[in-house]
Every structure is written in C-alpha cells, then in structure tokens.
Amino acid sequence: MLVYNYLNSLCGDCLLAEELTQETFYKAVKGINKFNNECKVSTWLCTIAKNTWLDLLRKEKKKANISLNDERYVENLVFGKSLEEELESNNEIIDLYKYIHKLDVDTREVFYLRIRGELSFKNIGEILGKSENWVRLAFYRGKIKLKEAMKNNERKM
C-alpha cells in the first residue's frame, strides 16, 4: 500500500499508479539479489518505484500531470457550489501547485507525498532516506515559502 500511495502521489492517476506498482514489484523480485539490507525494504521499494516513474516520464517525454479528482466536482455539485465557484477553486489549486513546483526538489517531493499521498512524516522520511524531523522541518519551511510567495502575488494584483 505504501508503494501504491507513493506512486499515486507522484502521478495523480490511480490506474497508472497500479501499473507502476506492479512494475515496481516485478523489478524488485527480479533484482532481489541487489538488495543489501542497508535500508528498509519499504525505502528500497519506493526507490525502485520512483525510478520506474522517472523511466516512464523519460520514455513519454512528458511532465507529471497533476490531475484534479472528479469526485471533487461531483461533491461540489451536490453541496451547491456554482460553476464559477468551482472554477475559482480549481484555479486556486492550480496556483498552489504552481507555487509548490517552484520549491526546491526535496521540499516539493515532501509536499507531494504529504498532500497527494497523505503519508505521515515518518513514512515520507523512510521513503526519502531522511529523518522524520528533517521532513517536518522541510514541510514547515516550505509552507512559509508558499505563504510568502502567495502574499507577494496578492500584492501585485
């Protein structure tokens, strides 16, 4: 489940995440002799998963597409949000991801795993090979940078 959640946080596509998870475990079984017990198995698997995802991106020469969940649209319709409010909400989310994308690579990955993957700081630390405190600090500093960037953007308007 950890590998699937990690891949889903990277690609934002449930079906693609399932395929990549299968490919990850296939590669893990195929290369089990390369596992040297220097890290946890979950960290090793997530490293394979990340490399599998990057291989796919290289092959397709596309950037990761952060898709919005269709469930949100249906939920908003049920609770009476107008089309204008929904579009404004989507624009805010897109703007947020634009700001996140401008963060350094490590901080950006922490944000994606935390927001999209809904992983704990401990699990993110295991995946990235960092301490839980490092992940918490990176997330905290990233939030400060995002708030500053958003505040600066509001001033320009």
Side-chain angles (χ1 to χ4, degrees):
M1 190 67 159
L2 178 69
V3 174
Y4 169 78
N5 286 338
Y6 175 61
L7 287 167
N8 194 26
S9 72
L10 290 175
C11 67
D13 181 340
C14 297
L15 295 176
L16 180 58
E18 285 180 26
E19 290 179 32
L20 291 171
T21 301
Q22 290 175 355
E23 182 69 19
T24 297
F25 280 98
Y26 172 75
K27 288 180 178 180
V29 169
K30 192 174 172 184
I32 191 71
N33 58 338
K34 294 178 185 175
F35 181 68
N36 53 16
N37 271 343
E38 289 182 9
C39 61
K40 292 184 177 183
V41 175
S42 60
T43 304
W44 181 65
L45 287 171
C46 286
T47 301
I48 294 171
K50 181 179 179 181
N51 290 332
T52 302
W53 166 243
L54 292 174
D55 288 344
L56 177 69
L57 289 179
R58 281 186 213 108
K59 286 178 187 174
E60 295 181 0
K61 294 183 180 180
K62 292 182 182 177
K63 292 185 179 180
N65 180 23
I66 301 168
S67 62
L68 298 173
N69 294 331
D70 292 335
E71 297 166 12
R72 281 189 48 247
Y73 180 72
V74 173
E75 186 177 309
N76 289 335
L77 286 177
V78 170
F79 292 111
K81 241 186 187 178
S82 70
L83 182 58
E84 292 82 17
E85 289 173 324
E86 176 62 23
L87 290 173
E88 185 177 312
S89 176
N90 286 346
N91 287 336
E92 289 171 2
I93 291 170
I94 289 169
D95 287 343
L96 174 65
Y97 276 109
K98 284 179 183 177
Y99 289 122
I100 291 172
H101 188 70
K102 291 178 183 178
L103 296 171
D104 64 274
V105 176
D106 288 335
T107 306
R108 181 175 42 215
E109 195 164 9
V110 168
F111 266 83
Y112 287 150
L113 292 172
R114 184 74 176 160
I115 294 169
R116 298 283 302 166
E118 299 178 5
L119 299 174
S120 69
F121 290 118
K122 182 179 179 182
N123 288 339
I124 295 169
E126 289 175 4
I127 290 168
L128 300 178
K130 307 279 187 180
S131 71
E132 181 178 348
N133 287 336
W134 182 92
V135 174
R136 287 180 185 277
L137 187 60
F139 189 75
Y140 173 76
R141 288 180 178 165
K143 284 194 311 188
I144 291 173
K145 289 178 185 177
L146 287 176
K147 286 178 185 177
E148 288 174 8
M150 294 170 100
K151 192 181 292 184
N152 289 339
N153 191 39
E154 286 177 6
R155 287 183 194 148
K156 291 178 184 177
M157 296 179 140

mmCIF file with all atom_site columns, all heavy atoms in Angstrom, residues 74-97:
data_model
loop_
_atom_site.group_PDB
_atom_site.id
_atom_site.type_symbol
_atom_site.label_atom_id
_atom_site.label_alt_id
_atom_site.label_comp_id
_atom_site.label_asym_id
_atom_site.label_entity_id
_atom_site.label_seq_id
_atom_site.pdbx_PDB_ins_code
_atom_site.Cartn_x
_atom_site.Cartn_y
_atom_site.Cartn_z
_atom_site.occupancy
_atom_site.B_iso_or_equiv
_atom_site.pdbx_formal_charge
_atom_site.auth_seq_id
_atom_site.auth_comp_id
_atom_site.auth_asym_id
_atom_site.auth_atom_id
_atom_site.pdbx_PDB_model_num
ATOM 1   N N   . VAL A 1 74 ? -18.127 16.481 -8.428  1.00 0.00 ? 74 VAL A N   1
ATOM 2   C CA  . VAL A 1 74 ? -19.438 15.908 -8.081  1.00 0.00 ? 74 VAL A CA  1
ATOM 3   C C   . VAL A 1 74 ? -19.847 16.353 -6.685  1.00 0.00 ? 74 VAL A C   1
ATOM 4   O O   . VAL A 1 74 ? -20.986 16.765 -6.456  1.00 0.00 ? 74 VAL A O   1
ATOM 5   C CB  . VAL A 1 74 ? -19.390 14.364 -8.171  1.00 0.00 ? 74 VAL A CB  1
ATOM 6   C CG1 . VAL A 1 74 ? -20.667 13.753 -7.646  1.00 0.00 ? 74 VAL A CG1 1
ATOM 7   C CG2 . VAL A 1 74 ? -19.129 13.922 -9.600  1.00 0.00 ? 74 VAL A CG2 1
ATOM 8   N N   . GLU A 1 75 ? -18.903 16.317 -5.755  1.00 0.00 ? 75 GLU A N   1
ATOM 9   C CA  . GLU A 1 75 ? -19.189 16.730 -4.382  1.00 0.00 ? 75 GLU A CA  1
ATOM 10  C C   . GLU A 1 75 ? -19.636 18.192 -4.336  1.00 0.00 ? 75 GLU A C   1
ATOM 11  O O   . GLU A 1 75 ? -20.584 18.540 -3.646  1.00 0.00 ? 75 GLU A O   1
ATOM 12  C CB  . GLU A 1 75 ? -17.922 16.546 -3.536  1.00 0.00 ? 75 GLU A CB  1
ATOM 13  C CG  . GLU A 1 75 ? -18.105 16.793 -2.064  1.00 0.00 ? 75 GLU A CG  1
ATOM 14  C CD  . GLU A 1 75 ? -16.827 16.522 -1.302  1.00 0.00 ? 75 GLU A CD  1
ATOM 15  O OE1 . GLU A 1 75 ? -16.247 15.438 -1.495  1.00 0.00 ? 75 GLU A OE1 1
ATOM 16  O OE2 . GLU A 1 75 ? -16.413 17.396 -0.532  1.00 0.00 ? 75 GLU A OE2 1
ATOM 17  N N   . ASN A 1 76 ? -18.974 19.041 -5.093  1.00 0.00 ? 76 ASN A N   1
ATOM 18  C CA  . ASN A 1 76 ? -19.339 20.456 -5.120  1.00 0.00 ? 76 ASN A CA  1
ATOM 19  C C   . ASN A 1 76 ? -20.720 20.667 -5.731  1.00 0.00 ? 76 ASN A C   1
ATOM 20  O O   . ASN A 1 76 ? -21.458 21.544 -5.304  1.00 0.00 ? 76 ASN A O   1
ATOM 21  C CB  . ASN A 1 76 ? -18.294 21.279 -5.873  1.00 0.00 ? 76 ASN A CB  1
ATOM 22  C CG  . ASN A 1 76 ? -17.010 21.404 -5.087  1.00 0.00 ? 76 ASN A CG  1
ATOM 23  O OD1 . ASN A 1 76 ? -17.006 21.297 -3.863  1.00 0.00 ? 76 ASN A OD1 1
ATOM 24  N ND2 . ASN A 1 76 ? -15.912 21.601 -5.781  1.00 0.00 ? 76 ASN A ND2 1
ATOM 25  N N   . LEU A 1 77 ? -21.052 19.866 -6.732  1.00 0.00 ? 77 LEU A N   1
ATOM 26  C CA  . LEU A 1 77 ? -22.387 19.970 -7.318  1.00 0.00 ? 77 LEU A CA  1
ATOM 27  C C   . LEU A 1 77 ? -23.450 19.583 -6.303  1.00 0.00 ? 77 LEU A C   1
ATOM 28  O O   . LEU A 1 77 ? -24.490 20.217 -6.203  1.00 0.00 ? 77 LEU A O   1
ATOM 29  C CB  . LEU A 1 77 ? -22.501 19.088 -8.563  1.00 0.00 ? 77 LEU A CB  1
ATOM 30  C CG  . LEU A 1 77 ? -21.784 19.592 -9.808  1.00 0.00 ? 77 LEU A CG  1
ATOM 31  C CD1 . LEU A 1 77 ? -21.939 18.572 -10.927 1.00 0.00 ? 77 LEU A CD1 1
ATOM 32  C CD2 . LEU A 1 77 ? -22.320 20.936 -10.247 1.00 0.00 ? 77 LEU A CD2 1
ATOM 33  N N   . VAL A 1 78 ? -23.168 18.520 -5.539  1.00 0.00 ? 78 VAL A N   1
ATOM 34  C CA  . VAL A 1 78 ? -24.121 18.056 -4.534  1.00 0.00 ? 78 VAL A CA  1
ATOM 35  C C   . VAL A 1 78 ? -24.325 19.122 -3.464  1.00 0.00 ? 78 VAL A C   1
ATOM 36  O O   . VAL A 1 78 ? -25.436 19.374 -3.018  1.00 0.00 ? 78 VAL A O   1
ATOM 37  C CB  . VAL A 1 78 ? -23.633 16.735 -3.893  1.00 0.00 ? 78 VAL A CB  1
ATOM 38  C CG1 . VAL A 1 78 ? -24.478 16.373 -2.681  1.00 0.00 ? 78 VAL A CG1 1
ATOM 39  C CG2 . VAL A 1 78 ? -23.684 15.611 -4.917  1.00 0.00 ? 78 VAL A CG2 1
ATOM 40  N N   . PHE A 1 79 ? -23.238 19.779 -3.046  1.00 0.00 ? 79 PHE A N   1
ATOM 41  C CA  . PHE A 1 79 ? -23.337 20.779 -1.988  1.00 0.00 ? 79 PHE A CA  1
ATOM 42  C C   . PHE A 1 79 ? -23.649 22.175 -2.524  1.00 0.00 ? 79 PHE A C   1
ATOM 43  O O   . PHE A 1 79 ? -23.600 23.148 -1.799  1.00 0.00 ? 79 PHE A O   1
ATOM 44  C CB  . PHE A 1 79 ? -22.063 20.794 -1.142  1.00 0.00 ? 79 PHE A CB  1
ATOM 45  C CG  . PHE A 1 79 ? -21.906 19.549 -0.336  1.00 0.00 ? 79 PHE A CG  1
ATOM 46  C CD1 . PHE A 1 79 ? -20.901 18.644 -0.630  1.00 0.00 ? 79 PHE A CD1 1
ATOM 47  C CD2 . PHE A 1 79 ? -22.782 19.252 0.700   1.00 0.00 ? 79 PHE A CD2 1
ATOM 48  C CE1 . PHE A 1 79 ? -20.757 17.486 0.110   1.00 0.00 ? 79 PHE A CE1 1
ATOM 49  C CE2 . PHE A 1 79 ? -22.642 18.099 1.445   1.00 0.00 ? 79 PHE A CE2 1
ATOM 50  C CZ  . PHE A 1 79 ? -21.638 17.208 1.150   1.00 0.00 ? 79 PHE A CZ  1
ATOM 51  N N   . GLY A 1 80 ? -23.945 22.278 -3.812  1.00 0.00 ? 80 GLY A N   1
ATOM 52  C CA  . GLY A 1 80 ? -24.468 23.508 -4.357  1.00 0.00 ? 80 GLY A CA  1
ATOM 53  C C   . GLY A 1 80 ? -23.455 24.557 -4.779  1.00 0.00 ? 80 GLY A C   1
ATOM 54  O O   . GLY A 1 80 ? -23.805 25.724 -4.891  1.00 0.00 ? 80 GLY A O   1
ATOM 55  N N   . LYS A 1 81 ? -22.221 24.205 -4.997  1.00 0.00 ? 81 LYS A N   1
ATOM 56  C CA  . LYS A 1 81 ? -21.255 25.183 -5.473  1.00 0.00 ? 81 LYS A CA  1
ATOM 57  C C   . LYS A 1 81 ? -21.539 25.484 -6.933  1.00 0.00 ? 81 LYS A C   1
ATOM 58  O O   . LYS A 1 81 ? -21.773 24.597 -7.732  1.00 0.00 ? 81 LYS A O   1
ATOM 59  C CB  . LYS A 1 81 ? -19.833 24.619 -5.346  1.00 0.00 ? 81 LYS A CB  1
ATOM 60  C CG  . LYS A 1 81 ? -18.946 25.407 -4.446  1.00 0.00 ? 81 LYS A CG  1
ATOM 61  C CD  . LYS A 1 81 ? -17.554 24.886 -4.482  1.00 0.00 ? 81 LYS A CD  1
ATOM 62  C CE  . LYS A 1 81 ? -16.702 25.575 -3.449  1.00 0.00 ? 81 LYS A CE  1
ATOM 63  N NZ  . LYS A 1 81 ? -15.363 25.068 -3.430  1.00 0.00 ? 81 LYS A NZ  1
ATOM 64  N N   . SER A 1 82 ? -21.498 26.756 -7.276  1.00 0.00 ? 82 SER A N   1
ATOM 65  C CA  . SER A 1 82 ? -21.751 27.136 -8.659  1.00 0.00 ? 82 SER A CA  1
ATOM 66  C C   . SER A 1 82 ? -20.536 26.823 -9.524  1.00 0.00 ? 82 SER A C   1
ATOM 67  O O   . SER A 1 82 ? -19.441 26.594 -9.018  1.00 0.00 ? 82 SER A O   1
ATOM 68  C CB  . SER A 1 82 ? -22.053 28.627 -8.736  1.00 0.00 ? 82 SER A CB  1
ATOM 69  O OG  . SER A 1 82 ? -20.884 29.373 -8.470  1.00 0.00 ? 82 SER A OG  1
ATOM 70  N N   . LEU A 1 83 ? -20.734 26.834 -10.822 1.00 0.00 ? 83 LEU A N   1
ATOM 71  C CA  . LEU A 1 83 ? -19.653 26.584 -11.755 1.00 0.00 ? 83 LEU A CA  1
ATOM 72  C C   . LEU A 1 83 ? -18.544 27.624 -11.580 1.00 0.00 ? 83 LEU A C   1
ATOM 73  O O   . LEU A 1 83 ? -17.370 27.287 -11.609 1.00 0.00 ? 83 LEU A O   1
ATOM 74  C CB  . LEU A 1 83 ? -20.177 26.594 -13.189 1.00 0.00 ? 83 LEU A CB  1
ATOM 75  C CG  . LEU A 1 83 ? -19.163 26.303 -14.291 1.00 0.00 ? 83 LEU A CG  1
ATOM 76  C CD1 . LEU A 1 83 ? -18.516 24.943 -14.072 1.00 0.00 ? 83 LEU A CD1 1
ATOM 77  C CD2 . LEU A 1 83 ? -19.826 26.354 -15.646 1.00 0.00 ? 83 LEU A CD2 1
ATOM 78  N N   . GLU A 1 84 ? -18.911 28.863 -11.354 1.00 0.00 ? 84 GLU A N   1
ATOM 79  C CA  . GLU A 1 84 ? -17.924 29.921 -11.163 1.00 0.00 ? 84 GLU A CA  1
ATOM 80  C C   . GLU A 1 84 ? -17.084 29.663 -9.910  1.00 0.00 ? 84 GLU A C   1
ATOM 81  O O   . GLU A 1 84 ? -15.869 29.823 -9.923  1.00 0.00 ? 84 GLU A O   1
ATOM 82  C CB  . GLU A 1 84 ? -18.598 31.301 -11.053 1.00 0.00 ? 84 GLU A CB  1
ATOM 83  C CG  . GLU A 1 84 ? -19.248 31.775 -12.334 1.00 0.00 ? 84 GLU A CG  1
ATOM 84  C CD  . GLU A 1 84 ? -20.644 31.193 -12.544 1.00 0.00 ? 84 GLU A CD  1
ATOM 85  O OE1 . GLU A 1 84 ? -21.248 30.683 -11.581 1.00 0.00 ? 84 GLU A OE1 1
ATOM 86  O OE2 . GLU A 1 84 ? -21.124 31.236 -13.684 1.00 0.00 ? 84 GLU A OE2 1
ATOM 87  N N   . GLU A 1 85 ? -17.749 29.249 -8.827  1.00 0.00 ? 85 GLU A N   1
ATOM 88  C CA  . GLU A 1 85 ? -17.027 28.950 -7.593  1.00 0.00 ? 85 GLU A CA  1
ATOM 89  C C   . GLU A 1 85 ? -16.101 27.759 -7.786  1.00 0.00 ? 85 GLU A C   1
ATOM 90  O O   . GLU A 1 85 ? -14.978 27.739 -7.289  1.00 0.00 ? 85 GLU A O   1
ATOM 91  C CB  . GLU A 1 85 ? -18.005 28.667 -6.456  1.00 0.00 ? 85 GLU A CB  1
ATOM 92  C CG  . GLU A 1 85 ? -18.757 29.888 -5.969  1.00 0.00 ? 85 GLU A CG  1
ATOM 93  C CD  . GLU A 1 85 ? -19.837 29.534 -4.962  1.00 0.00 ? 85 GLU A CD  1
ATOM 94  O OE1 . GLU A 1 85 ? -20.485 28.471 -5.102  1.00 0.00 ? 85 GLU A OE1 1
ATOM 95  O OE2 . GLU A 1 85 ? -20.025 30.332 -4.034  1.00 0.00 ? 85 GLU A OE2 1
ATOM 96  N N   . GLU A 1 86 ? -16.564 26.765 -8.522  1.00 0.00 ? 86 GLU A N   1
ATOM 97  C CA  . GLU A 1 86 ? -15.742 25.585 -8.791  1.00 0.00 ? 86 GLU A CA  1
ATOM 98  C C   . GLU A 1 86 ? -14.520 25.957 -9.614  1.00 0.00 ? 86 GLU A C   1
ATOM 99  O O   . GLU A 1 86 ? -13.406 25.525 -9.327  1.00 0.00 ? 86 GLU A O   1
ATOM 100 C CB  . GLU A 1 86 ? -16.561 24.503 -9.502  1.00 0.00 ? 86 GLU A CB  1
ATOM 101 C CG  . GLU A 1 86 ? -15.770 23.271 -9.913  1.00 0.00 ? 86 GLU A CG  1
ATOM 102 C CD  . GLU A 1 86 ? -15.158 22.516 -8.751  1.00 0.00 ? 86 GLU A CD  1
ATOM 103 O OE1 . GLU A 1 86 ? -15.654 22.635 -7.620  1.00 0.00 ? 86 GLU A OE1 1
ATOM 104 O OE2 . GLU A 1 86 ? -14.174 21.787 -8.989  1.00 0.00 ? 86 GLU A OE2 1
ATOM 105 N N   . LEU A 1 87 ? -14.719 26.768 -10.647 1.00 0.00 ? 87 LEU A N   1
ATOM 106 C CA  . LEU A 1 87 ? -13.590 27.179 -11.480 1.00 0.00 ? 87 LEU A CA  1
ATOM 107 C C   . LEU A 1 87 ? -12.593 28.005 -10.678 1.00 0.00 ? 87 LEU A C   1
ATOM 108 O O   . LEU A 1 87 ? -11.382 27.841 -10.824 1.00 0.00 ? 87 LEU A O   1
ATOM 109 C CB  . LEU A 1 87 ? -14.081 27.970 -12.698 1.00 0.00 ? 87 LEU A CB  1
ATOM 110 C CG  . LEU A 1 87 ? -14.832 27.165 -13.746 1.00 0.00 ? 87 LEU A CG  1
ATOM 111 C CD1 . LEU A 1 87 ? -15.403 28.085 -14.819 1.00 0.00 ? 87 LEU A CD1 1
ATOM 112 C CD2 . LEU A 1 87 ? -13.936 26.112 -14.375 1.00 0.00 ? 87 LEU A CD2 1
ATOM 113 N N   . GLU A 1 88 ? -13.096 28.886 -9.816  1.00 0.00 ? 88 GLU A N   1
ATOM 114 C CA  . GLU A 1 88 ? -12.219 29.686 -8.968  1.00 0.00 ? 88 GLU A CA  1
ATOM 115 C C   . GLU A 1 88 ? -11.434 28.778 -8.025  1.00 0.00 ? 88 GLU A C   1
ATOM 116 O O   . GLU A 1 88 ? -10.234 28.956 -7.828  1.00 0.00 ? 88 GLU A O   1
ATOM 117 C CB  . GLU A 1 88 ? -13.046 30.697 -8.172  1.00 0.00 ? 88 GLU A CB  1
ATOM 118 C CG  . GLU A 1 88 ? -12.196 31.647 -7.346  1.00 0.00 ? 88 GLU A CG  1
ATOM 119 C CD  . GLU A 1 88 ? -13.046 32.673 -6.632  1.00 0.00 ? 88 GLU A CD  1
ATOM 120 O OE1 . GLU A 1 88 ? -13.923 33.277 -7.271  1.00 0.00 ? 88 GLU A OE1 1
ATOM 121 O OE2 . GLU A 1 88 ? -12.808 32.871 -5.421  1.00 0.00 ? 88 GLU A OE2 1
ATOM 122 N N   . SER A 1 89 ? -12.104 27.792 -7.452  1.00 0.00 ? 89 SER A N   1
ATOM 123 C CA  . SER A 1 89 ? -11.452 26.842 -6.562  1.00 0.00 ? 89 SER A CA  1
ATOM 124 C C   . SER A 1 89 ? -10.366 26.061 -7.310  1.00 0.00 ? 89 SER A C   1
ATOM 125 O O   . SER A 1 89 ? -9.259  25.863 -6.801  1.00 0.00 ? 89 SER A O   1
ATOM 126 C CB  . SER A 1 89 ? -12.480 25.880 -5.980  1.00 0.00 ? 89 SER A CB  1
ATOM 127 O OG  . SER A 1 89 ? -11.865 24.899 -5.200  1.00 0.00 ? 89 SER A OG  1
ATOM 128 N N   . ASN A 1 90 ? -10.677 25.606 -8.518  1.00 0.00 ? 90 ASN A N   1
ATOM 129 C CA  . ASN A 1 90 ? -9.694  24.887 -9.325  1.00 0.00 ? 90 ASN A CA  1
ATOM 130 C C   . ASN A 1 90 ? -8.490  25.768 -9.643  1.00 0.00 ? 90 ASN A C   1
ATOM 131 O O   . ASN A 1 90 ? -7.351  25.309 -9.617  1.00 0.00 ? 90 ASN A O   1
ATOM 132 C CB  . ASN A 1 90 ? -10.319 24.376 -10.629 1.00 0.00 ? 90 ASN A CB  1
ATOM 133 C CG  . ASN A 1 90 ? -11.227 23.189 -10.409 1.00 0.00 ? 90 ASN A CG  1
ATOM 134 O OD1 . ASN A 1 90 ? -11.209 22.572 -9.352  1.00 0.00 ? 90 ASN A OD1 1
ATOM 135 N ND2 . ASN A 1 90 ? -12.032 22.881 -11.397 1.00 0.00 ? 90 ASN A ND2 1
ATOM 136 N N   . ASN A 1 91 ? -8.743  27.036 -9.951  1.00 0.00 ? 91 ASN A N   1
ATOM 137 C CA  . ASN A 1 91 ? -7.653  27.963 -10.239 1.00 0.00 ? 91 ASN A CA  1
ATOM 138 C C   . ASN A 1 91 ? -6.755  28.158 -9.019  1.00 0.00 ? 91 ASN A C   1
ATOM 139 O O   . ASN A 1 91 ? -5.540  28.250 -9.146  1.00 0.00 ? 91 ASN A O   1
ATOM 140 C CB  . ASN A 1 91 ? -8.188  29.314 -10.719 1.00 0.00 ? 91 ASN A CB  1
ATOM 141 C CG  . ASN A 1 91 ? -8.729  29.240 -12.132 1.00 0.00 ? 91 ASN A CG  1
ATOM 142 O OD1 . ASN A 1 91 ? -8.347  28.374 -12.911 1.00 0.00 ? 91 ASN A OD1 1
ATOM 143 N ND2 . ASN A 1 91 ? -9.636  30.152 -12.458 1.00 0.00 ? 91 ASN A ND2 1
ATOM 144 N N   . GLU A 1 92 ? -7.356  28.210 -7.836  1.00 0.00 ? 92 GLU A N   1
ATOM 145 C CA  . GLU A 1 92 ? -6.579  28.348 -6.612  1.00 0.00 ? 92 GLU A CA  1
ATOM 146 C C   . GLU A 1 92 ? -5.697  27.120 -6.400  1.00 0.00 ? 92 GLU A C   1
ATOM 147 O O   . GLU A 1 92 ? -4.538  27.242 -6.018  1.00 0.00 ? 92 GLU A O   1
ATOM 148 C CB  . GLU A 1 92 ? -7.503  28.544 -5.412  1.00 0.00 ? 92 GLU A CB  1
ATOM 149 C CG  . GLU A 1 92 ? -8.174  29.896 -5.387  1.00 0.00 ? 92 GLU A CG  1
ATOM 150 C CD  . GLU A 1 92 ? -9.245  30.009 -4.318  1.00 0.00 ? 92 GLU A CD  1
ATOM 151 O OE1 . GLU A 1 92 ? -9.458  29.036 -3.557  1.00 0.00 ? 92 GLU A OE1 1
ATOM 152 O OE2 . GLU A 1 92 ? -9.877  31.072 -4.232  1.00 0.00 ? 92 GLU A OE2 1
ATOM 153 N N   . ILE A 1 93 ? -6.239  25.940 -6.668  1.00 0.00 ? 93 ILE A N   1
ATOM 154 C CA  . ILE A 1 93 ? -5.468  24.710 -6.520  1.00 0.00 ? 93 ILE A CA  1
ATOM 155 C C   . ILE A 1 93 ? -4.333  24.678 -7.540  1.00 0.00 ? 93 ILE A C   1
ATOM 156 O O   . ILE A 1 93 ? -3.204  24.331 -7.211  1.00 0.00 ? 93 ILE A O   1
ATOM 157 C CB  . ILE A 1 93 ? -6.381  23.470 -6.655  1.00 0.00 ? 93 ILE A CB  1
ATOM 158 C CG1 . ILE A 1 93 ? -7.314  23.380 -5.451  1.00 0.00 ? 93 ILE A CG1 1
ATOM 159 C CG2 . ILE A 1 93 ? -5.559  22.195 -6.789  1.00 0.00 ? 93 ILE A CG2 1
ATOM 160 C CD1 . ILE A 1 93 ? -8.403  22.356 -5.570  1.00 0.00 ? 93 ILE A CD1 1
ATOM 161 N N   . ILE A 1 94 ? -4.625  25.069 -8.761  1.00 0.00 ? 94 ILE A N   1
ATOM 162 C CA  . ILE A 1 94 ? -3.594  25.104 -9.796  1.00 0.00 ? 94 ILE A CA  1
ATOM 163 C C   . ILE A 1 94 ? -2.501  26.090 -9.403  1.00 0.00 ? 94 ILE A C   1
ATOM 164 O O   . ILE A 1 94 ? -1.306  25.797 -9.532  1.00 0.00 ? 94 ILE A O   1
ATOM 165 C CB  . ILE A 1 94 ? -4.218  25.457 -11.163 1.00 0.00 ? 94 ILE A CB  1
ATOM 166 C CG1 . ILE A 1 94 ? -5.058  24.272 -11.660 1.00 0.00 ? 94 ILE A CG1 1
ATOM 167 C CG2 . ILE A 1 94 ? -3.126  25.806 -12.192 1.00 0.00 ? 94 ILE A CG2 1
ATOM 168 C CD1 . ILE A 1 94 ? -5.930  24.587 -12.859 1.00 0.00 ? 94 ILE A CD1 1
ATOM 169 N N   . ASP A 1 95 ? -2.904  27.266 -8.903  1.00 0.00 ? 95 ASP A N   1
ATOM 170 C CA  . ASP A 1 95 ? -1.917  28.247 -8.445  1.00 0.00 ? 95 ASP A CA  1
ATOM 171 C C   . ASP A 1 95 ? -1.062  27.673 -7.317  1.00 0.00 ? 95 ASP A C   1
ATOM 172 O O   . ASP A 1 95 ? 0.158   27.861 -7.305  1.00 0.00 ? 95 ASP A O   1
ATOM 173 C CB  . ASP A 1 95 ? -2.601  29.526 -7.973  1.00 0.00 ? 95 ASP A CB  1
ATOM 174 C CG  . ASP A 1 95 ? -3.159  30.355 -9.118  1.00 0.00 ? 95 ASP A CG  1
ATOM 175 O OD1 . ASP A 1 95 ? -2.748  30.119 -10.283 1.00 0.00 ? 95 ASP A OD1 1
ATOM 176 O OD2 . ASP A 1 95 ? -4.010  31.228 -8.857  1.00 0.00 ? 95 ASP A OD2 1
ATOM 177 N N   . LEU A 1 96 ? -1.692  26.976 -6.375  1.00 0.00 ? 96 LEU A N   1
ATOM 178 C CA  . LEU A 1 96 ? -0.952  26.372 -5.273  1.00 0.00 ? 96 LEU A CA  1
ATOM 179 C C   . LEU A 1 96 ? 0.096   25.398 -5.809  1.00 0.00 ? 96 LEU A C   1
ATOM 180 O O   . LEU A 1 96 ? 1.255   25.427 -5.390  1.00 0.00 ? 96 LEU A O   1
ATOM 181 C CB  . LEU A 1 96 ? -1.905  25.653 -4.310  1.00 0.00 ? 96 LEU A CB  1
ATOM 182 C CG  . LEU A 1 96 ? -1.229  24.862 -3.187  1.00 0.00 ? 96 LEU A CG  1
ATOM 183 C CD1 . LEU A 1 96 ? -0.473  25.809 -2.261  1.00 0.00 ? 96 LEU A CD1 1
ATOM 184 C CD2 . LEU A 1 96 ? -2.250  24.056 -2.415  1.00 0.00 ? 96 LEU A CD2 1
ATOM 185 N N   . TYR A 1 97 ? -0.293  24.535 -6.748  1.00 0.00 ? 97 TYR A N   1
ATOM 186 C CA  . TYR A 1 97 ? 0.659   23.575 -7.302  1.00 0.00 ? 97 TYR A CA  1
ATOM 187 C C   . TYR A 1 97 ? 1.759   24.276 -8.103  1.00 0.00 ? 97 TYR A C   1
ATOM 188 O O   . TYR A 1 97 ? 2.896   23.809 -8.140  1.00 0.00 ? 97 TYR A O   1
ATOM 189 C CB  . TYR A 1 97 ? -0.053  22.521 -8.153  1.00 0.00 ? 97 TYR A CB  1
ATOM 190 C CG  . TYR A 1 97 ? -0.605  21.396 -7.302  1.00 0.00 ? 97 TYR A CG  1
ATOM 191 C CD1 . TYR A 1 97 ? -1.972  21.257 -7.102  1.00 0.00 ? 97 TYR A CD1 1
ATOM 192 C CD2 . TYR A 1 97 ? 0.241   20.485 -6.694  1.00 0.00 ? 97 TYR A CD2 1
ATOM 193 C CE1 . TYR A 1 97 ? -2.483  20.239 -6.315  1.00 0.00 ? 97 TYR A CE1 1
ATOM 194 C CE2 . TYR A 1 97 ? -0.253  19.468 -5.904  1.00 0.00 ? 97 TYR A CE2 1
ATOM 195 C CZ  . TYR A 1 97 ? -1.614  19.344 -5.718  1.00 0.00 ? 97 TYR A CZ  1
ATOM 196 O OH  . TYR A 1 97 ? -2.099  18.339 -4.941  1.00 0.00 ? 97 TYR A OH  1
#
